[in-house]
Amino acid sequence: MDLAYTAEHEALRKQVRAWLKQNLPKKERGAATMEDEAHKVAESKAWQRKLLEAGYVAMGWPRKYGGREADLMTQTVVNEELVTARAPSLIGMMGIQMVGATLITWGTEEQKERYLPKILTAEEIWCQGYSEPGSGSDLASLKTRAELVGDEFVINGQKVWTSYAHIADWMFCLVRTDPDAPKHKGISYVLIDMKTPGITVRPLVQINGDSGFNEVFFEDVRVPRKNLVGELNQGWLVANSTLSHERNMLGSTTRTQMMFDGVLRLARTRQRNGRVAAEDPVVQQRLADLLTRVEAMKLHSYRQLTDAIKGRSPGIAASVNKLVSTELNHEIAALGMELLGSYATLSKASAHVVDRAIWPWEFMFTMGMIIGGGTSQIQKNIIAERGLGMPK
Ligand SMILES: Cc1cc2nc3c(=O)[nH]c(=O)nc-3n(C[C@H](O)[C@H](O)[C@H](O)COP(=O)(O)OP(=O)(O)OC[C@H]3O[C@@H](n4cnc5c(N)ncnc54)[C@H](O)[C@@H]3O)c2cc1C
């Protein structure tokens, strides 16, 4: 493994940094919170288009579908710079990283032509309709039923925790098309226009006050058969390729490093037991423990990157990445909360608030990330069974 960047990559880094300096929107948290919704959605879409025009969206996609066929190192450098600059997250991320990437592998030419361009421009926003009440970790037990009637699926059932459903134009959805087959074999992957009659979206309010996700109800929703991705009853295969994209997407070393740098700054400015917190041996021990794990995570992700560049199978690396990064982010945020003590309870509006109340927000947000995309326990099961060959 070569840990140095080439001169070419360093030049690219400079170029991206300069572009971001010129073009980064003023506000730090673009689409992360959903207050003042319509305005924020429009702003976030404009940001995605700007990035797209600069060539920094879906860089790895084939040129034919609007990408640049950029190699993994190029994508990594650009991604690192976006995170370092605290660029707003892309509103169309689910479209790009999940359904878009899946369509490139599984979609028909007609589906690719129809959906991919509007995913890139954020003209159409996507949501993921997988989880249901009682079918989260055990996703394959999902019950939302799709009956094929002529050339249409008629869909009835309910999804839950559907991020972005309240602003989404489309949903990529798992439905049960054969209730008599073994549970993994009777599922299909369909694309649903969210404006179809019979769909009701009910937003849920989260612990951090945002309402980013929803319940979605389907009552005799008619979806054309041509919206099926992959074969009928083969949705589990298609879905699993999307899930590994999701798990990769959730692990970002740069973000974890920045969170650690933030908590270190906090420790150097807050007081504890009559001295600067960073001089307190207990705090020092916590910081050292976290930093060691940040470094280990970084090396693991370099190894994953090297494997990907060399075309070696990633195995369970995406699960390790998801498990380690989400837990570590949450523990860093927890130290931030401890260092703040009772200041951690102040809202953004308070004159005494520290770091614009980012630590309590991070604490709650990172808790959700441990659950979303497959909980830590599920990742540990995957690592144990598929990675270490342990019995079920
Ligand atoms: C922020 C956020 C965003 C989300 N966005 C979406 C979205 O856009 N679309 C979507 O479809 N879903 C979404 N989800 C849902 C998410 O995928 C589920 O919450 C997750 O898969 C867990 O399912 P569950 O909530 O039903 O919990 P359960 O599956 O009921 O799990 C409850 C507890 O039991 C443990 N557990 C369950 N089974 C096992 C087992 N076999 N071994 C050991 N422990 C086990 C779990 O780890 C957990 O601690 C989101 C969730 C969050 C938090």
Side-chain angles (χ1 to χ4, degrees):
M1 187 190 299
D2 182 359
L3 291 174
Y5 290 94
T6 61
E8 199 185 319
H9 288 130
E10 288 303 353
L12 170 70
R13 187 184 296 286
K14 262 196 187 152
Q15 190 186 321
V16 181
R17 208 171 279 179
W19 185 89
L20 283 168
K21 213 169 168 191
Q22 292 280 319
N23 293 287
L24 201 63
K26 291 282 169 285
K27 274 191 212 140
E28 256 182 24
R29 300 213 147 263
T33 60
M34 286 291 172
E35 19 158 336
D36 192 11
E37 198 121 276
H39 179 66
K40 277 218 153 139
V41 169
E43 260 188 359
S44 303
K45 287 186 171 188
W47 168 240
Q48 182 166 323
R49 274 196 301 277
K50 206 172 201 182
L51 266 180
L52 178 68
E53 279 156 23
Y56 298 143
V57 170
M59 299 178 74
W61 282 19
R63 283 183 198 281
K64 191 174 166 193
Y65 304 122
R68 284 172 59 183
E69 295 178 14
D71 61 46
L72 274 173
M73 277 311 295
T74 302
Q75 294 176 57
T76 303
V77 168
V78 173
N79 206 25
E80 282 174 355
E81 287 309 307
L82 287 168
V83 177
T84 307
R86 295 181 194 279
S89 51
L90 288 185
I91 189 165
M93 191 51 93
M94 284 219 175
I96 298 163
Q97 296 251 20
M98 298 176 76
V99 68
T102 303
L103 283 174
I104 289 175
T105 310
W106 295 90
T108 60
E109 215 40 53
E110 190 189 340
Q111 287 171 337
K112 290 177 197 177
E113 274 168 27
R114 161 63 188 86
Y115 298 110
L116 297 179
K118 291 185 179 179
I119 286 176
L120 290 177
T121 55
E123 206 175 323
E124 288 177 344
I125 301 299
W126 286 77
C127 63
Q128 175 195 37
Y130 283 14
S131 306
E132 297 182 4
S135 301
S137 300
D138 183 16
L139 184 57
S141 69
L142 61 92
K143 294 186 186 66
T144 293
R145 180 83 172 94
E147 266 177 280
L148 204 45
V149 181
D151 264 354
E152 288 179 326
F153 292 107
V154 179
I155 302 181
N156 283 285
Q158 188 202 334
K159 297 290 170 182
V160 72
W161 316 126
T162 323
S163 308
Y164 296 105
H166 57 305
I167 57 161
D169 304 285
W170 284 86
M171 172 189 278
F172 54 100
C173 186
L174 291 180
V175 288
R176 186 154 303 281
T177 35
D178 184 354
D180 300 323
K183 64 180 182 178
H184 293 87
K185 298 203 168 139
I187 294 172
S188 297
Y189 187 108
V190 292
L191 310 178
I192 303 177
D193 182 342
M194 292 297 280
K195 287 184 282 301
T196 316
I199 299 180
T200 308
V201 176
R202 222 159 54 191
L204 295 163
V205 180
Q206 293 150 229
I207 192 174
N208 61 3
D210 292 349
S211 42
F213 51 29
N214 307 267
E215 294 176 295
V216 182
F217 300 88
F218 300 93
E219 248 178 283
D220 289 331
V221 174
R222 303 185 88 87
V223 174
R225 186 184 173 136
K226 67 174 187 194
N227 290 15
L228 175 71
V229 180
E231 300 287 319
L232 190 70
N233 298 324
Q234 293 279 303
W236 191 249
L237 269 179
V238 181
N240 266 305
S241 72
T242 309
L243 279 177
S244 79
H245 288 298
E246 182 175 13
R247 279 166 198 157
N248 266 328
M249 182 166 107
L250 293 167
S252 158
T253 314
T254 314
R255 173 165 150 72
T256 305
Q257 178 72 58
M258 284 176 67
M259 278 184 74
F260 179 80
D261 294 346
V263 92
L264 183 61
R265 266 197 307 276
L266 196 65
R268 286 179 173 148
T269 49
R270 306 302 299 169
Q271 293 284 310
R272 185 162 168 143
N273 299 330
R275 57 179 162 185
V276 173
E279 288 170 8
D280 181 286
V282 175
V283 174
Q284 285 180 338
Q285 205 169 11
R286 292 279 296 283
L287 287 167
D289 171 59
L290 291 171
L291 181 59
T292 310
R293 289 161 60 197
V294 172
E295 286 299 316
M297 174 184 156
K298 216 185 281 179
L299 292 172
H300 171 76
S301 69
Y302 287 155
R303 185 168 56 186
Q304 191 185 357
L305 186 61
T306 307
D307 281 347
I309 290 169
K310 298 200 167 163
R312 292 195 287 252
S313 152
I316 46 140
S319 283
V320 174
N321 215 347
K322 202 272 170 181
L323 170 70
V324 170
S325 64
T326 54
E327 298 240 345
L328 195 47
N329 288 347
H330 188 58
E331 284 187 46
I332 295 171
L335 178 57
M337 295 283 279
E338 277 181 48
L339 290 170
L340 287 175
S342 48
Y343 282 84
T345 58
L346 296 179
S347 80
K348 243 197 240 178
S350 163
H352 303 286
V353 74
V354 182
D355 281 356
R356 300 176 62 228
I358 193 71
W359 292 106
W361 188 89
E362 285 284 13
F363 181 74
M364 293 183 276
F365 178 77
T366 53
M367 193 186 288
M369 291 297 103
I370 291 175
I371 301 166
T375 66
S376 282
Q377 288 77 22
I378 295 303
Q379 304 309 328
K380 284 178 186 167
N381 283 350
I382 294 171
I383 295 164
E385 289 161 20
R386 295 186 212 157
L388 305 175
M390 291 168 78
K392 286 200 178 211

